[in-house]
Amino acid sequence: MKLERILNKDNLTRDDLIYLMSLKKEEKLERLYNRAYEIKSETVGQKVYFRGIIEFSNKCIKNCNYCGIRHDNNKVNRFTMSEEEILESANWIYKNNYGSMVLQSGERTDDEYIEFVSDLVDKIKELSNGEVGITLSLGEQTKETYQKWFDLGAHRYLLRIETSNEELYRSIHPNDHDFQKRKECLKNLREIGYQVGTGVMIGLPGQTVEDLVDDMLFFKENNIDMIGMGPYVIHEDTPLVQKVGDKEKLRSRNFEWSLKMVAILRLIMPDINIAATTALQALNSIGRELALQAGANILMPIVTHPNYRQDYQLYENKPCIDEKPSDCKKCLANRVSNVGDEIVYGEWGDSPHYFRRIEGKEKELGSKIDSRNAAGR
Ligand code: SAH
Ligand code: SF4
């Protein structure tokens, strides 16, 4: 059978990936997801790592056509959490042994913001005795800024390419957003020594199955260590929604495509970290569990204080808006055990791929890789 042949092959071709993305029958999809789970168990294990995410500000200078907190959306109540509130949340993550955290916000590049983030990274390292791994997801910055934050102790950076199709990228952003700059940022992050995470939105208006397959090939070509990709989800107060036809159809198609992408990516990049993203749960109440069963191994519990969750809505139907961090912890623990995975507490949870990559690159990067990265905390 064609499906079995592909699922057991070592080097899948572009055509194989298109075939898998186009599967429709329930039993074939089940087979794909089960095979991906099998590969996950053999490579990264039946384990899930937490990255507690603090969405500390919704102020943004950009105007991405899909995003609910874009600069020109004047219905948004803008906030920035105080340093004290952010450190309190970071301390909660430390005390609850999550191992790693993500600082995310809208994009800003002014000096005050850069200093604010620098202080945060420094103080979080201090309050956790260097034990909490810090990932930043703060958009496009200069190489100097990335370097500054790295030197202070941040060691992973998430910057989605959004789509690897340059034309499509242009169609979902205003003219002053630059695809080449985005790629340059990813290159700079890698050169500095960050573990680089990227990803795409799945099911954008105008995006094809071929585009999504090319996105996966882009991840592979760029030797990416971690992926956070999820469905494109409508936000009513954004320009992109004008290009959406049947909204209900879009939701179910995007959910299905996202699960397939997770599973197929696990087949072609077996040892990377793949997040079961929150957007999946905006479309399906057990979306994240299904993604874990299809090969994902990372969860990003929201640790943002409930007072602010309402105002950080990139897309409609964001889950967990009324929960406290402790509610999320319990809820996710149940969800993970339902899948049959185990949560690993107190470790950074770097992907085996990262360690293989640096073994080969250590000489090239020299002293830029410092011991805290290689320690695997
Ligand atoms: N400002 C930073 C971090 C916050 S946005 C940045 O842009 O990198 C983080 C991610 O949210 C974006 O990369 C984008 O992929 C995702 N996002 C924004 N709007 C979305 C939507 N409507 N549906 C799904 N994902 C969305
Ligand atoms: Fe700002 Fe990020 Fe949203 Fe773009 S995706 S508008 S940069 S928060």
Side-chain angles (χ1 to χ4, degrees), residues 19 31 72 76 89 138 142 162 164 169 237 255 261 267 288 293 306 361:
Y19 172 83
R31 184 64 197 112
D72 289 356
V76 176
S89 298
L138 308 173
T142 62
E162 312 298 1
S164 63
Y169 187 91
D237 304 320
F255 184 74
M261 290 268 286
L267 299 186
R288 286 188 282 184
Q293 272 166 342
K361 286 269 173 101

Side-chain angles (χ1 to χ4, degrees), residues 336-352:
V336 172
S337 70
N338 288 342
V339 172
D341 284 350
E342 171 207 351
I343 301 171
V344 182
Y345 287 102
E347 286 184 29
W348 284 7
D350 295 328
S351 68

